[in-house]
C-alpha cells in the first residue's frame, strides 16, 4: 500500500539535502579566490652600509660662512643614490644627514650624527638612524676688513651666528640683513668683541664639494 507520509518525508529530506549542498559548494569553491586576493607581504631585506662609504651631499645654499672657532648645526641632503659594488641601492637620493660643522685643526669639519632615509615608495622620510662619519677638513678662508664690501663672500651663503656678528661689527648689519643665520649667538651677543678690530678671517665652505660624508663605522637597517 502506498504510504503518502513516507513519500512526503523522503521528498523533504531530498530537498533539504539539495539546498544544503548548493549552499556549501559555493563556499568551498570561493575559498581559493579569497586567498588569491590577499596582498602578498613585501620581502624584508637587511641592508648593511659599510665603514668607509662616501656619501655625496648637497645643501640649499651655495656656501656656509663660519668663524674658525664656531660650531653650527647643519642638515645636508644626499645628492645621489649610494650603491654597493653589486649595484644594490644602499642609501637613496633625498635622504638627510644632520650634524654640526665643528672647528678642527685650523679649519672646520662636518660631523654627522643622524641619517634619515628617504623611501620613494612611501614618499616620505623614515625615522632617523644614528651614524658616525665626517667630511674632509675645510681650511678655505676669506678676510673681512672694516668697511669693505662683502657681496662676493656672502652672496648665496648661510652664515654662522659668530661670523654674522663679526661681519656686522666690521661692515654693518645691512651686509647680512637678508642672509640665513645658522644657530650660535645673536648679533648683539658677541658683536662688541669685534668693535676695536680692523679685520677678521672667516671660513668659507662649499657643501656640495667640501662636505661629502665618509662613514667611520658601518650601520645596518631593515628595508622592505
Amino acid at each position: 500500500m502506498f504510504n503518502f507520509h513516507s513519500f512526503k518525508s523522503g521528498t523533504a529530506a531530498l530537498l533539504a539535502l539539495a539546498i544544503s549542498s548548493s549552499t556549501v559548494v559555493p563556499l568551498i569553491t570561493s575559498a581559493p579566490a579569497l586567498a588569491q586576493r590577499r596582498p602578498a607581504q613585501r620581502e624584508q631585506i637587511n641592508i648593511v652600509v659599510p665603514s668607509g662609504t662616501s656619501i655625496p651631499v648637497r645643501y640649499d645654499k651655495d656656501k656656509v660662512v663660519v668663524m674658525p672657532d664656531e660650531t653650527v648645526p647643519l642638515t645636508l641632503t644626499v645628492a645621489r643614490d649610494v650603491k654597493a659594488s653589486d649595484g644594490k641601492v644602499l642609501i637613496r637620493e633625498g635622504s638627510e644627514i644632520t650634524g654640526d660643522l665643528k672647528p678642527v685643526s685650523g679649519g672646520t669639519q662636518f660631523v654627522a650624527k643622524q641619517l634619515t632615509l628617504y623611501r620613494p615608495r612611501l614618499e616620505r622620510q623614515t625615522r632617523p638612524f644614528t651614524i658616525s662619519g665626517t667630511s674632509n677638513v675645510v681650511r678655505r678662508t676669506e678676510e673681512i676688513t672694516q668697511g669693505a664690501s662683502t657681496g662676493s663672500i656672502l652672496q648665496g651663503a648661510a652664515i654662522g651666528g659668530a661670523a654674522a656678528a663679526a661681519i656686522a661689527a666690521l661692515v654693518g648689519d645691512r651686509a647680512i640683513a637678508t642672509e640665513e643665520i645658522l644657530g650660535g649667538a645673536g648679533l648683539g651677543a658677541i658683536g662688541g668683541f669685534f668693535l676695536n678690530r680692523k679685520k677678521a678671517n672667516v671660513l668659507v665652505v662649499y657643501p656640495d664639494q667640501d662636505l661629502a660624508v665618509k662613514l667611520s663605522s658601518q650601520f645596518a637597517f631593515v628595508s622592505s
Side-chain angles (χ1 to χ4, degrees):
M1 183 178 197
F2 178 74
N3 191 327
F4 176 76
H5 292 289
S6 298
F7 174 78
K8 184 177 181 181
S9 299
T11 302
L14 287 173
L15 288 172
L17 179 60
I19 292 171
S20 61
S21 299
S22 64
T23 304
V24 172
V25 171
L27 289 175
I28 295 173
T29 56
S30 65
L34 289 173
Q36 291 174 3
R37 288 199 295 267
R38 292 176 182 171
Q41 291 185 345
R42 291 174 181 168
E43 181 183 1
Q44 292 189 331
I45 304 171
N46 291 322
I47 302 293
V48 177
V49 185
S51 175
T53 297
S54 181
I55 307 174
V57 298
R58 63 175 184 264
Y59 188 58
D60 59 1
K61 294 286 187 178
D62 295 335
K63 66 188 82 168
V64 180
V65 178
V66 295
M67 295 298 290
D69 58 352
E70 182 175 16
T71 297
V72 298
L74 212 58
T75 298
L76 305 173
T77 302
V78 176
R80 57 183 179 273
D81 289 348
V82 177
K83 299 181 179 180
S85 57
D86 61 1
K88 178 169 54 179
V89 175
L90 302 176
I91 303 172
R92 293 283 182 188
E93 177 184 352
S95 300
E96 291 185 343
I97 301 176
T98 57
D100 297 302
L101 272 177
K102 291 186 173 184
V104 58
S105 304
T108 188
Q109 182 181 46
F110 181 72
V111 179
K113 294 179 178 179
Q114 292 184 325
L115 170 67
T116 304
L117 296 169
Y118 176 61
R119 297 284 177 83
R121 183 182 297 172
L122 302 178
E123 296 185 348
R124 64 176 174 81
Q125 306 282 351
T126 66
R127 65 179 179 82
F129 294 86
T130 298
I131 63 171
S132 178
T134 56
S135 71
N136 290 329
V137 177
V138 181
R139 297 186 176 88
R140 184 186 303 105
T141 61
E142 293 277 359
E143 186 177 81
I144 306 292
T145 57
Q146 194 172 49
S149 171
T150 59
S152 61
I153 297 174
L154 299 185
Q155 185 176 8
I159 312 169
I167 294 167
L170 291 168
V171 302
D173 291 357
R174 290 185 179 181
I176 56 173
T178 61
E179 306 303 330
E180 179 182 349
I181 309 299
L182 299 171
L187 298 185
I190 60 174
F193 178 78
F194 298 95
L195 289 179
N196 296 321
R197 296 193 175 192
K198 303 296 183 183
K199 63 182 181 179
N201 287 320
V202 295
L203 291 165
V204 180
V205 179
Y206 294 90
D208 294 11
Q209 68 184 60
D210 293 334
L211 300 185
V213 174
K214 185 177 182 179
L215 295 179
S216 52
S217 62
Q218 74 172 30
F219 77 97
F221 60 94
V222 176
S223 176
S224 58

